[in-house]
Amino acid sequence: MVIMKCIRCLIHVVLCVLLSKVTYSSGQTPGRRTRYEPKWASLDQRPLPRWYDEAKVGIFLHYGVYSVPSFGSEWFWTNWKNLRNPDYIRFMQRNYKPDFTYQQFAGDFTAELFNATQWALLFRDSGARYVVLTSKHHDGYTLWPSKHSFGWNSMDVGPKRDIIKELSAAIRDVSNLKFGLYYSLFEWFNRLWIDDKLHLLMQQHFVDYKVRPEQMDLVREYLPEIIWSDGDWEAPAKYWKSEEFIAWLYNDSPVRDTVVTNDRWGFGTACMHGDFYNCADRFNPGVLQTHKWENAFTLDRTSWGQRFDVSLSDFLTSKEVIQEIVITVSCNGNVLINVGPTKFGTILPIFEERLRDMGRWLNINGEGVYGSIPWIYQNDTLNSNVWYTRGRQSTNASTIIYAFVLEYPYDTNELDIYPLGKQINKYGNVILTGLDSLNVDSEILNKDTTQVSMLGMEDTKIEWSASHNKLHITFPPKHHIDKRGLDYAWTFKIVIV
């Protein structure tokens, strides 16, 4: 008996070590403030601010001059002028005079219907916990009156408004959402950037006189708590002086305690450095990632900017959006869901519908999403349409597992799942899940130790039975579920005490 207790203690210690390798969230250790050196080895040691891991869901906004032609994608300028894409050339020949320039689109980027408060209220109702706005994309046009982008910013030409200031103020006024900014490191046609490339990046005039001053201005003026860098593939991080900038963010910036950064700081940094990893656009590996990561994806399947050359099939359905959320969060990720507003400053109804559907779903099922941590299994051993998270509020006395069912079992109205795995080892799986107080000689899942409920149907008794490690659940009548507005994915809460 003593030997068995020692084995349990040993395995429990092993579990703690293993789980510590997964970046769920951290807070700054009280006491003396850590100062980080401008080196990846030091910067990578910074704990992830807890708010980001708990938030899980964000809204991405690609908004700029490319919203005027609303054709193809936000890469309109380079696709037209650099890549000479035939579709873009034909579009311009049919709709604009021969000598029309991309810069002339800026005059029609009017944003006359832009209402920052309406946007902020929509994002709040969507269930998102943070917003990231493109401050400057690869065309170089800035959504604030940058002192380093004369005549090519939202105050000098176009809306004649500081879009970043209005939106950040509205979000902080009517919601608790965190506000962040996307910033493109390079610009396709900036002469300083082109000149640095001609000098084989041996000089850094573009960084010294454009990029760094703008980055510092954005942080000091708008206090973003996410810095979402992009354009990393054009030059190494040493050219961009990324380590120096991030060290300033972490050590001395006004958002040093709460700011988070992604991994796009120069080629070779993706999936290597940063508070969270993007790795690639629409990155969703479907398996547990030990480092915190983010799945940035678009509601329009192909474009980040708003475009009119679309059909209904080009948009993700609400069900697909919820599936992306569930799979991503189960695997230790956040989702950043992209919307492209129109040149008028409005968000198209189809985007609004998707966001409001998401908000209604999260209002019911968010308990299993926000603040959750990965379970020992992400996907069910037997049922590929079931994904798991674990409640952060789980204690040594109880374990809370959330099972998300992505496909309704219409044929039987019943479901078999294996929340502890199909081939359970009572001296392995049980202890590794913190259930070592149970009598391992008895069934783990039974009426005395286990409670099963359905989120949104808490006042309805869920019929279930267990055989060894299999949990057999009977759904409530479908018309009762529909009456409660439960759709897209259904969540069972399993409490084991």
Side-chain angles (χ1 to χ4, degrees):
M1 191 66 177
V2 173
I3 294 175
M4 188 61 63
K5 286 183 178 180
C6 291
I7 292 174
R8 288 189 180 187
C9 293
L10 177 61
I11 296 178
H12 186 74
V13 169
V14 172
L15 170 67
C16 293
V17 172
L18 291 175
L19 290 182
S20 70
K21 295 181 181 291
V22 179
T23 306
Y24 301 137
S25 69
S26 301
Q28 194 76 315
T29 303
R32 185 176 180 181
R33 179 186 299 278
T34 301
R35 287 197 64 84
Y36 300 94
E37 298 177 26
K39 300 176 183 178
W40 292 124
S42 176
L43 300 174
D44 290 342
Q45 298 304 310
R46 180 184 185 247
L48 176 71
R50 183 163 178 166
W51 77 261
Y52 179 82
D53 180 55
E54 294 185 342
K56 305 299 184 187
V57 182
I59 301 295
F60 212 176
L61 294 165
H62 274 66
Y63 192 41
V65 171
Y66 44 82
S67 306
V68 176
S70 292
F71 178 84
S73 79
E74 71 288 349
W75 281 46
F76 185 96
W77 195 1
T78 196
N79 286 339
W80 170 35
K81 287 297 185 181
N82 275 345
L83 302 180
R84 305 294 295 169
N85 184 297
D87 293 335
Y88 290 80
I89 291 173
R90 280 193 296 269
F91 174 81
M92 293 304 298
Q93 289 174 342
R94 291 172 179 172
N95 297 285
Y96 296 90
K97 59 187 180 181
D99 58 347
F100 194 90
T101 66
Y102 183 82
Q103 286 86 341
Q104 289 177 272
F105 281 129
D108 291 328
F109 181 52
T110 51
E112 67 265 35
L113 300 178
F114 172 62
N115 185 313
T117 300
Q118 287 182 353
W119 284 22
L121 290 173
L122 171 61
F123 303 150
R124 182 196 66 185
D125 293 345
S126 75
R129 295 295 173 85
Y130 60 99
V131 175
V132 178
L133 172 67
T134 47
S135 66
K136 174 180 75 76
H137 205 257
H138 311 322
D139 61 2
Y141 183 87
T142 71
L143 292 185
W144 86 101
S146 170
K147 302 180 185 68
H148 310 279
S149 188
F150 179 75
W152 195 230
N153 64 73
S154 62
M155 189 65 79
D156 289 345
V157 58
K160 307 294 178 66
R161 301 163 71 174
D162 185 338
I163 301 295
I164 296 179
K165 181 178 181 179
E166 291 186 38
L167 184 60
S168 61
I171 286 174
R172 288 160 175 154
D173 182 47
V174 302
S175 76
N176 293 319
L177 277 69
K178 302 288 187 179
F179 179 75
L181 290 171
Y182 164 109
Y183 183 85
S184 171
L185 294 173
F186 83 105
E187 300 172 19
W188 290 309
F189 300 100
N190 188 292
R191 289 185 177 90
L192 281 175
W193 164 241
I194 293 171
D195 188 55
D196 279 2
K197 287 200 294 183
L198 289 175
H199 284 81
L200 303 179
L201 305 179
M202 298 302 290
Q203 66 182 32
Q204 295 166 290
H205 294 166
F206 181 61
V207 177
D208 292 337
Y209 302 119
K210 183 67 160 66
V211 174
R212 186 51 37 80
E214 286 191 332
Q215 289 174 323
M216 302 284 280
D217 288 348
L218 284 171
V219 173
R220 288 168 171 157
E221 182 67 25
Y222 305 106
L223 305 179
E225 293 178 281
I226 307 103
I227 298 294
W228 213 99
S229 182
D230 197 19
D232 53 303
W233 58 88
E234 287 286 329
K238 292 297 182 184
Y239 167 79
W240 300 115
K241 300 183 181 179
S242 295
E243 291 160 295
E244 290 85 347
F245 175 64
I246 297 173
W248 174 78
L249 274 178
Y250 292 172
N251 292 326
D252 301 310
S253 79
V255 289
R256 58 183 176 265
D257 292 329
T258 55
V259 70
V260 293
T261 63
N262 66 336
D263 57 351
R264 300 185 182 187
W265 294 100
F267 57 66
T269 61
C271 263
M272 292 289 293
H273 304 292
D275 292 307
F276 62 92
Y277 296 165
N278 290 116
C279 298
D281 292 350
R282 305 176 180 87
F283 178 67
N284 188 359
V287 294
L288 180 65
Q289 304 295 298
T290 56
H291 192 282
K292 190 65 189 180
W293 61 284
E294 184 181 73
N295 174 10
F297 68 92
T298 54
L299 292 180
D300 174 343
R301 297 179 193 273
T302 61
S303 177
W304 299 84
Q306 191 269 331
R307 64 189 179 104
F308 284 121
D309 54 321
V310 290
S311 61
L312 183 61
S313 62
D314 289 317
F315 295 94
L316 293 182
T317 65
S318 295
K319 183 177 180 65
E320 289 174 319
V321 173
I322 300 306
Q323 289 177 343
E324 285 287 327
I325 295 173
V326 167
I327 296 172
T328 299
V329 172
S330 293
C331 297
N332 195 35
N334 283 17
V335 290
L336 187 61
I337 303 167
N338 184 77
V339 172
T342 70
K343 68 174 185 176
F344 308 107
T346 58
I347 293 175
L348 293 177
I350 192 165
F351 290 129
E352 180 178 352
E353 179 190 49
R354 298 298 188 265
L355 295 183
R356 293 197 182 280
D357 285 348
M358 180 177 80
R360 282 188 289 270
W361 187 85
L362 285 168
N363 188 49
I364 295 171
N365 300 276
E367 177 184 330
V369 175
Y370 304 123
S372 66
I373 58 177
W375 179 231
I376 57 169
Y377 300 103
Q378 286 65 63
N379 197 200
D380 188 75
T381 308
L382 187 69
N383 192 327
S384 62
N385 291 314
V386 176
W387 294 78
Y388 296 108
T389 63
R390 177 176 181 170
R392 193 183 297 271
Q393 65 273 38
S394 301
T395 66
N396 292 333
S398 66
T399 298
I400 301 175
I401 309 166
Y402 296 95
F404 298 91
V405 183
L406 300 184
E407 296 294 337
Y408 194 90
Y410 287 102
D411 293 338
T412 63
N413 216 48
E414 298 175 349
L415 180 74
D416 288 337
I417 58 176
Y418 292 82
L420 301 180
K422 185 173 176 57
Q423 301 298 327
I424 190 166
N425 180 327
K426 290 184 179 180
Y427 292 106
N429 299 54
V430 173
I431 299 175
L432 287 175
T433 56
L435 304 176
D436 50 321
S437 61
L438 295 175
N439 181 355
V440 295
D441 294 325
S442 64
E443 293 294 347
I444 299 166
L445 302 174
N446 59 64
K447 298 293 183 178
D448 293 328
T449 65
T450 310
Q451 303 167 11
V452 178
S453 60
M454 186 177 189
L455 298 188
M457 300 287 291
E458 285 80 3
D459 57 349
T460 300
K461 182 180 179 181
I462 301 298
E463 298 296 331
W464 64 276
S465 60
S467 175
H468 188 39
N469 53 317
K470 180 176 73 175
L471 198 60
H472 179 82
I473 300 174
T474 301
F475 279 70
K478 187 66 168 63
H479 62 284
H480 289 176
I481 294 176
D482 291 344
K483 185 178 180 180
R484 304 289 181 88
L486 278 65
D487 203 355
Y488 309 126
W490 301 265
T491 310
F492 288 99
K493 181 179 180 180
I494 305 163
V495 181
I496 307 175
V497 296

